[in-house]
Amino acid sequence: MQSTQQPNLAKESVAAPSHGFWIASYVWLSILSSVVVIGLAVESTPLLHWVQNQVLLASQMMESTMASFYGLFLNMGVNPNQVIHQLQQLDSTPFVIPTSMLVIYSLLSAINIIGCLGMWYWRKWGVYGVYVSMLLGVLANYYTGFSVVSFFFTLLNAYALYAIVRGPWKRFA
């Protein structure tokens, strides 16, 4: 009796490498924050008008308080006229972001989402795309006059991405 063994025809499944906690967290938090930025860009105009109205109400309340306690503030060394002048300048400050900047921030967020999806599928272009969105974000922030703090956090984000992908870089195609 001859035993006939049939070859194992089951296909070997090629498992995708595990992303690990840090890469998965970075990718999904970046996608989530980019979606939030896009949502805020779409809904920012009504929100900014509401903020401006709240500032106007608060400054009017402060002006009436300053007028009521004028003598007390002078005794404490506070010049109520200077405070009222600062509040009036705040009232006239427009809380408006130009539409072009909203479009730019939305596009940068879309680039970031595409880059993160590329990272999820182990593509080097995804990592490069995320870095491009960071660099363009720094330029956009410089154009709008944002603070050094924003620049610092972008550098921190860039270093975090470098630290996360440095080890598994050989897995990226």
Side-chain angles (χ1 to χ4, degrees):
M1 205 164 143
Q2 194 176 30
S3 119
T4 57
Q5 287 185 330
Q6 293 182 352
N8 186 0
L9 298 177
K11 294 183 180 178
E12 292 181 18
S13 63
V14 178
S18 170
H19 292 94
F21 175 77
W22 293 110
I23 290 179
S25 298
Y26 186 90
V27 165
W28 294 112
L29 287 174
S30 291
I31 289 173
L32 177 65
S33 64
S34 295
V35 169
V36 168
V37 167
I38 292 171
L40 287 175
V42 170
E43 291 296 324
S44 69
T45 304
L47 180 66
L48 291 174
H49 287 296
W50 179 83
V51 168
Q52 187 171 13
N53 288 335
Q54 298 307 309
V55 168
L56 180 63
L57 289 173
S59 63
Q60 289 171 350
M61 288 173 45
M62 285 295 293
E63 284 181 37
S64 66
T65 303
M66 295 298 281
S68 300
F69 297 101
Y70 191 85
L72 178 65
F73 285 121
L74 282 177
N75 289 337
M76 293 176 15
V78 176
N79 185 348
N81 293 327
Q82 287 179 331
V83 174
I84 290 172
H85 176 70
Q86 292 293 327
L87 290 172
Q88 288 168 345
Q89 285 182 332
L90 185 62
D91 284 348
S92 63
T93 303
F95 286 83
V96 178
I97 298 174
T99 305
S100 60
M101 290 309 297
L102 295 176
V103 170
I104 288 172
Y105 285 127
S106 296
L107 289 174
L108 291 176
S109 295
I111 292 170
N112 191 49
I113 290 171
I114 292 168
C116 286
L117 291 174
M119 282 177 55
W120 187 253
Y121 289 105
W122 298 101
R123 300 290 184 245
K124 288 182 180 178
W125 59 260
V127 177
Y128 297 138
V130 172
Y131 277 122
V132 165
S133 71
M134 284 183 205
L135 176 64
L136 294 175
V138 166
L139 295 176
N141 287 341
Y142 178 75
Y143 173 76
T144 58
F146 283 171
S147 68
V148 175
V149 174
S150 173
F151 178 73
F152 172 75
F153 280 112
T154 302
L155 284 179
L156 189 64
N157 189 11
Y159 180 74
L161 178 59
Y162 167 75
I164 289 170
V165 300
R166 179 181 56 180
W169 185 249
K170 292 180 182 179
R171 294 182 185 175
F172 287 88

